[in-house]
Amino acid sequence: SYYQELEDICVFVDGVVQTSGYNIEYVGGVVEFDASQNADAVVTISAKYHTFELVAGFFNWTIDKAVSLEEATEFGTGWKSYIPCLRGINGEAQKFFYNDESFLDRQGEIAIIVLYVDTTNNYRYEGYGYLSGISTDTPVDTLVKQRISITGKGTWYYRDG
């Protein structure tokens, strides 16, 4: 499940509404508690979630996670110093071309992006991202390929399993 951002989410533990002590990861529908819950605790989540469809599979992808560093040098130190500020993620995925407009129609929209490192063990990166560009390669001696540019929105997560 992928919870809808900006929608109310209610977290219950043993039927009691929780107002704090947890973090919601909208991507992947994960609720992470600050403290361990009892093994027999019943956790229930009431939320609106996205329904989605697989639009395409990719045979190759790259992502670049970056953080901008802002200079924070103090007088007299003799060395520059920096502090990390804004984080971001961009990427590109390649797929074989087929005659439909599934990506052209979605360009500029936010999509749920799941990029697998290992499908057998379900290791993957996932997050929301804009489909920010589409490039088509048409070589004379092989299949036509498309490159889809992705600009991440918000936090992305690495999931292992």
Side-chain angles (χ1 to χ4, degrees), residues 62-70 83-91 125 150-156:
T62 60
I63 58 171
D64 299 307
K65 294 175 72 175
V67 62
S68 64
L69 299 174
E70 296 297 325
I83 58 172
C85 289
L86 301 174
R87 297 170 191 233
I89 189 165
N90 294 300
Y125 289 96
I150 301 162
T151 303
K153 177 187 180 294
T155 305
W156 277 49

Side-chain angles (χ1 to χ4, degrees), residues 81-155:
S81 61
Y82 298 88
I83 58 172
C85 289
L86 301 174
R87 297 170 191 233
I89 189 165
N90 294 300
E92 182 178 278
Q94 289 184 314
K95 72 179 195 73
F96 291 114
F97 176 82
Y98 55 91
N99 194 17
D100 74 359
E101 296 184 5
S102 60
F103 279 95
L104 291 175
D105 292 345
R106 290 176 169 85
Q107 191 170 7
E109 292 182 4
I110 294 174
I112 297 167
I113 311 293
V114 181
L115 302 172
Y116 285 90
V117 176
D118 178 347
T119 55
T120 303
N121 294 304
N122 207 22
Y123 298 157
R124 66 201 181 279
Y125 289 96
E126 59 186 9
Y128 292 112
Y130 293 94
L131 303 177
S132 53
I134 301 168
S135 301
T136 304
D137 298 324
T138 55
V140 70
D141 60 347
T142 188
L143 295 173
V144 177
K145 301 172 187 170
Q146 286 187 311
R147 290 187 320 270
I148 311 303
S149 299
I150 301 162
T151 303
K153 177 187 180 294
T155 305

Side-chain angles (χ1 to χ4, degrees), residues 28-88:
V30 175
V31 175
E32 185 175 297
F33 289 95
D34 297 341
S36 297
Q37 301 298 305
N38 293 330
D40 59 346
V42 176
V43 177
T44 308
I45 310 299
S46 175
K48 290 185 178 179
Y49 58 91
H50 294 284
T51 56
F52 57 94
E53 64 179 317
L54 177 65
V55 176
F58 301 102
F59 64 84
N60 190 24
W61 60 265
T62 60
I63 58 171
D64 299 307
K65 294 175 72 175
V67 62
S68 64
L69 299 174
E70 296 297 325
E71 188 175 343
T73 305
E74 296 178 9
F75 289 111
T77 62
W79 290 92
K80 287 185 176 185
S81 61
Y82 298 88
I83 58 172
C85 289
L86 301 174
R87 297 170 191 233

